[in-house]
Amino acid sequence: MIDLHTHTNKSDGTDSPRELVNKAIAQGLTILGLTDHDTTSGWQEAAQTLRANLGLALGSEISCLTTDGISVHMLGLLFDGNHKGMQEMLEETRDGRMPRMRKMIEKMQMAGIDISIEDVENARPEGATLGRPHLADALVIKGIINSREEAFNGMLNNDSEFYVSHAAPTPAETIAMIRSAGGVAVIAHPFASLRGKTLTAQDFEGLVAAGLNGIEVDHRDQNPDERNMLRTIAKELDLVITGASDYHGNGKLNALAEFHTDPAQWERLESQADQRRVVWA
Ligand code: AMP
Ligand code: ZN
Ligand code: FE
Ligand code: FE
């Protein structure tokens, strides 16, 4: 089983990289993609935990913003972790997440909600890429809401009055950077409409021109119609089709490997990286 999209407590998941790798081995996965938001800081611990027949596809889920302000997530896999431009891009995005969080908190305080940046810092695991899920956790600890789920269905939704976006590269810039670092780019859950405004079918050609390799089709946030549309687009543009869990530990309902990638699709995707970079024990 091949699951190419998972998170740990290096971003907004709840398992450590070690725990995640152990779970993947226990479930008999053959390839695990480690894709924490805007960071590669879990790579080393994950690689050190590796044993048995599990291969690691190291990567990151990179936050992007179109010029129209649409939020897009790009999975970069199998890129060189020491690539300077890539690390600078990730660092810049992470840096933008703190002022963004302060703005969101300011809006909430103005509305009389008892929450502070310290509360959020206390809810964030050390070194983790800061995100709305940590704000959600802080609100849960304060007894203001009951769960991350409730937060994202209401006050932390993209359409909420409290929502603020953070500075991020465009999808095309991100794809180009992933490819210049030797990796492959797969657009994550592009039609997950329940999260907010999404790209349209016409947008994919430009992404292919930038070097896009694949589309994440099978993902719980995309309904059967959305998946079928994406499958058609992928076939027309000769892109690799993936499926993945987007596992976040206890941070989301998504179960590890609840969706997965066909081995032939994976083989094709892997062959498009500039080197064979899957890590084995
Ligand atoms: P941010 O990057 O700070 O804008 O936060 C977005 C993150 O929140 C995404 O990575 C999602 O994984 C996470 N997220 C979105 N919806 C939910 C939800 N319903 N429950 C838990 N986490 C969610
Ligand atoms: Zn996440
Ligand atoms: Fe995502
Ligand atoms: Fe994700």
Side-chain angles (χ1 to χ4, degrees):
M1 206 102 90
I2 299 167
D3 189 346
L4 298 177
H5 179 175
T6 65
H7 297 268
T8 73
N9 61 9
K10 299 298 182 182
S11 60
D12 55 2
T14 58
D15 290 346
S16 66
R18 176 174 298 112
E19 286 165 332
L20 172 60
V21 166
N22 284 334
K23 283 181 187 175
I25 292 169
Q27 284 195 32
L29 294 202
T30 50
I31 298 286
L32 174 72
L34 176 66
T35 54
D36 275 308
H37 298 286
D38 305 313
T39 186
T40 59
S41 64
W43 286 18
Q44 202 183 2
E45 184 182 317
Q48 282 167 352
T49 311
L50 212 51
R51 52 180 198 287
N53 300 316
L54 179 68
L56 260 186
L58 296 171
S60 176
E61 182 176 19
I62 303 170
S63 316
C64 316
L65 212 50
T66 68
T67 48
D68 301 333
I70 298 171
S71 159
V72 172
H73 286 174
M74 194 65 63
L75 296 168
L77 293 165
L78 305 176
F79 60 84
D80 172 9
N82 293 318
H83 188 274
K84 200 158 167 273
M86 172 62 91
Q87 286 298 342
E88 280 170 2
M89 192 177 86
L90 296 176
E91 194 179 341
E92 217 167 286
T93 302
R94 288 198 304 272
D95 286 350
R97 284 170 165 277
M98 183 51 94
R100 175 262 198 143
M101 184 61 73
R102 287 187 193 281
K103 280 187 204 154
M104 287 190 71
I105 284 173
E106 218 168 277
K107 288 189 172 205
M108 295 178 115
Q109 287 173 342
M110 299 266 267
I113 299 165
D114 174 24
I115 192 79
S116 70
I117 193 76
E118 288 74 30
D119 295 327
V120 179
E121 280 295 357
N122 290 335
R124 158 165 78 154
E126 189 163 342
T129 301
L130 181 64
R132 277 179 284 165
H134 303 118
L135 174 52
D137 292 347
L139 291 164
V140 171
I141 291 167
K142 288 237 142 178
I144 297 165
I145 55 164
N146 287 309
S147 66
R148 283 188 182 186
E149 199 62 26
E150 186 185 330
F152 278 93
N153 287 331
M155 55 204 300
L156 297 190
N157 195 276
N158 286 34
D159 299 324
S160 150
E161 59 181 302
F162 305 122
Y163 179 74
V164 177
S165 63
H166 58 80
T170 66
E173 284 166 354
T174 305
I175 292 166
M177 185 64 81
I178 293 166
R179 298 305 306 274
S180 71
V184 290
V186 176
I187 187 166
H189 48 70
F191 283 175
S193 54
L194 48 108
R195 294 168 180 233
K197 209 161 175 289
T198 70
L199 296 180
T200 62
Q202 289 71 42
D203 294 319
F204 286 82
E205 256 174 75
L207 302 182
V208 170
L212 184 71
N213 302 91
I215 302 181
E216 187 178 60
V217 172
D218 294 307
H219 183 288
R220 77 150 62 201
D221 292 354
Q222 292 173 153
N223 67 34
D225 283 345
E226 292 166 342
R227 289 178 207 170
N228 283 333
M229 283 189 280
L230 288 170
R231 232 180 281 281
T232 303
I233 293 168
K235 282 182 187 147
E236 275 172 6
L237 298 174
D238 199 26
L239 293 167
V240 172
I241 290 168
T242 72
S245 67
D246 203 357
Y247 174 76
H248 279 69
N250 302 326
K252 265 188 173 182
L253 301 172
N254 313 28
L256 187 59
E258 64 175 19
F259 291 101
H260 35 91
T261 297
D262 177 74
Q265 295 290 324
W266 165 244
E267 207 171 294
R268 207 179 136 214
L269 185 64
E270 198 208 344
S271 75
Q272 292 173 15
D274 75 335
Q275 285 178 33
R276 296 199 88 82
R277 284 217 183 82
V278 175
V279 180
W280 300 97

